[in-house]
Amino acid sequence: LENVYGDSDVITLEEVSASLIEQARKRALGQKFWIVAPGDMDAVRDQNSVIFLSKETFPAGPSAEITALVESSFEEGVDVPIAKGDILAITATDRDGIPFVIAAFHGDTNGLATKPVLSAIMKAMASDSALVTHKLIFGLDANTYEKAKPGKQQDVLEWGKHYVSYGLTSCWGDVPNPSNYTTFNSRT
């Protein structure tokens, strides 16, 4: 992290242990970044979403954690497979005065929480007049699939249509290439 991503403005990490957070804060990363962990961090399961904000780009650091607002914005009656520490959402203003919502999300293996979590973030931002003008940066482990099993896994092209419906794009573009694999997951 220090050598490859040390010049980044924002780093989002998923499935992070409490010990990694503690070690990062003590090292050079802690000098360069505000290292933000969830207020309700899960030290037992120890798989937390974490955000690193460049102290140069975000000199005042994080303004507020809004994870609870996001989690309270899930569509009523929809079971969203998340666990404590999976979502971290904060606000921060950069050195140019631009306000941001920055979210990190550790998706479930089948990606079924990915669309509902984005929808909840967007609903939370729209529901709070103080957040309406914020720009969104969303780093996530989406767990989407090229050949998803309907109702059991999240299809990557459907995910693309979902984020585009909010006027968003991704580092993979508006229409992600389904065969552009970033992870191979073998389970026994």
Side-chain angles (χ1 to χ4, degrees):
L1 279 173
E2 289 173 13
N3 297 327
V4 176
Y5 298 105
D7 292 332
S8 299
D9 294 322
V10 176
I11 301 171
T12 64
L13 298 174
E14 289 71 41
E15 297 190 63
V16 177
S17 69
S19 65
L20 186 144
I21 295 165
E22 183 180 321
Q23 289 301 312
R25 285 178 173 157
K26 292 178 183 176
R27 299 178 57 128
L29 285 169
Q31 298 300 312
K32 292 176 105 172
F33 293 93
W34 303 101
I35 300 175
V36 187
D40 68 342
M41 194 164 76
D42 187 339
V44 175
R45 191 175 63 116
D46 221 16
Q47 296 182 348
N48 299 284
S49 292
V50 176
I51 298 170
F52 290 28
L53 295 177
S54 164
K55 290 182 177 180
E56 184 178 322
T57 306
F58 296 92
S63 314
E65 181 176 348
I66 60 166
T67 305
L69 176 62
V70 170
E71 291 177 349
S72 70
S73 297
F74 287 128
E75 187 177 332
E76 201 160 323
V78 175
D79 182 33
V80 182
I82 61 163
K84 188 173 155 186
D86 282 347
I87 300 171
L88 173 59
I90 63 171
T91 59
T93 301
D94 75 2
R95 65 179 168 237
D96 296 321
I98 300 170
F100 288 90
V101 167
I102 304 165
F105 170 58
H106 164 228
D108 59 298
T109 301
N110 295 321
L112 298 178
T114 301
K115 285 170 55 176
V117 168
L118 176 59
S119 294
I121 291 169
M122 299 307 291
K123 181 179 176 184
M125 290 176 68
S127 72
D128 186 330
S129 62
L131 299 176
V132 171
T133 60
H134 284 57
K135 297 189 178 298
L136 175 64
I137 297 173
F138 186 25
L140 69 157
D141 177 0
N143 289 325
T144 57
Y145 293 81
E146 177 183 17
K147 296 175 183 155
K149 298 173 188 157
K152 296 184 186 251
Q153 295 174 323
Q154 179 57 60
D155 179 84
V156 67
L157 291 174
E158 289 301 317
W159 164 237
K161 290 176 186 174
H162 187 70
Y163 63 71
V164 166
S165 75
Y166 287 110
L168 303 173
T169 192
S170 79
C171 62
W172 307 111
D174 290 351
V175 181
N177 179 347
S179 62
N180 187 9
Y181 292 97
T182 59
T183 304
F184 291 90
N185 185 358
S186 298
R187 303 268 176 167
T188 57

